[in-house]
Amino acid sequence: MILVFNWKMNPEKLSDAEAILDFLRFAQDKLKKTCTETQSVEVWFAPPNLYFEPLRKKYNEFFDFGLQNTFYEQSGAFTGEISPKMAKNIGGEFVILGHSERKKLGESLEDINKKVLASLEVGLRVILCFGENVKLKSRENIIFEIKSQLKILLQDVPINSENLYLAYEPAWAISSQEIGPSSTEELKTFLDWYWQNYKFPIFYGGSVDSSNIENYLTLKLNGFLIGSASLKPEEITKILNIASK
């Protein structure tokens, strides 16, 4: 089980980020002492780029660190961008691509596909986000929308790529929206279809927190992409405890 904590543009200060990770380290140590047999849980963090290097150097022994985005060229005159090769060279272990908030800023599926190929090329693990933008009522419409997205996002991606993880992230379900997360039944219906058609490990992202993750753990998922809940130390601890049972 993999828990990916995406901090987006938070917290405001590096010291606040360190305080969260210190708290989680203590919680992990306590969990190891009280539980003799726990499910294997990996913790991955995607902090803002400015915090990446100091956090990785200080906590690399305990967590995996990655980036929230990369560009699709390895070098060149692209002001403000970070290449996959640069991300790899500074110790990045994974990258989140195609997040719904990036798409909202104008990122196209074709550009995301190029970023996926460039990131896989240098050996980064890629968490590729996809999902419908609005809540659709019929299963047929949902599947049609997802198949259309994945056809573009996975173009030229080797079907046996070991570094690719897909993250089902309906834009309507993320914490910045008001609808709320997918129900267990909705997610199960999607996963039944997914595993019949794709073999890449699959995460779920969409308002995941300690109140619903236990129900999601009953489904065929490889991990979770967690946003706002990952900024609350006590909430992270609860999630970790539940996922480790």
Side-chain angles (χ1 to χ4, degrees), residues 17-72:
E18 291 174 327
I20 294 173
L21 293 184
D22 284 337
F23 189 97
L24 183 55
R25 274 188 57 195
F26 175 78
Q28 279 187 317
D29 290 341
K30 185 176 180 181
L31 183 64
K32 290 176 183 177
K33 292 177 182 177
T34 57
C35 300
T36 55
E37 293 184 10
T38 60
Q39 177 175 316
S40 175
V41 176
E42 296 181 37
V43 179
W44 300 3
F45 276 98
N49 291 338
L50 286 173
Y51 303 161
F52 176 87
E53 186 65 5
L55 292 180
R56 188 195 68 82
K57 285 183 176 179
K58 187 173 181 180
Y59 301 98
N60 191 47
E61 180 183 348
F62 310 99
F63 313 112
D64 285 5
F65 287 92
L67 288 82
Q68 298 175 13
N69 187 40
T70 58
F71 196 51
Y72 50 73

Side-chain angles (χ1 to χ4, degrees), residues 84-240:
K85 187 179 294 184
M86 293 165 64
K88 184 70 174 178
N89 287 343
I90 63 169
E93 297 176 89
F94 69 92
V95 60
I96 300 172
L97 296 175
H99 193 283
S100 60
E101 291 165 352
R102 298 292 308 173
K103 295 189 190 86
K104 191 174 180 180
L105 292 173
E107 200 166 76
S108 70
L109 297 179
E110 290 77 10
D111 282 347
I112 297 167
N113 171 250
K114 290 192 289 185
K115 292 181 177 187
V116 170
L117 295 174
S119 296
L120 290 174
E121 180 185 19
V122 300
L124 285 170
R125 285 175 254 157
V126 171
I127 300 171
L128 174 59
C129 301
F130 69 97
E132 63 273 25
N133 292 323
V134 296
K135 189 162 188 178
L136 303 172
K137 292 185 177 180
S138 76
R139 179 180 184 275
E140 291 74 19
N141 287 342
I142 293 172
I143 299 307
F144 178 81
E145 170 66 21
I146 290 172
K147 285 177 66 176
S148 300
Q149 288 184 26
L150 291 178
K151 182 178 180 181
I152 299 172
L153 292 171
L154 296 176
Q155 184 174 346
D156 297 325
V157 174
I159 60 172
N160 60 346
S161 177
E162 296 181 353
N163 279 336
L164 183 62
Y165 302 76
L166 298 189
Y168 178 50
E169 181 216 24
W172 53 265
I174 64 174
S175 56
S176 60
Q177 304 301 312
E178 297 180 357
I179 296 179
S182 300
S183 69
T184 308
E185 292 74 21
E186 289 172 326
L187 195 49
K188 183 182 184 305
T189 298
F190 161 75
L191 289 171
D192 288 344
W193 170 84
Y194 176 84
W195 287 115
Q196 291 175 14
N197 294 274
Y198 300 93
K199 301 301 179 185
F200 299 111
I202 182 79
F203 299 162
Y204 173 66
S207 300
V208 178
D209 58 27
S210 63
S211 71
N212 54 39
I213 191 171
E214 188 165 11
N215 290 332
Y216 293 146
L217 285 169
T218 64
L219 304 177
K220 194 176 179 182
L221 288 162
N222 302 101
F224 298 92
L225 181 59
I226 303 170
S228 60
S230 66
L231 291 164
K232 306 168 186 175
E234 294 82 2
E235 183 69 6
I236 299 177
T237 304
K238 289 179 183 177
I239 290 171
L240 180 63

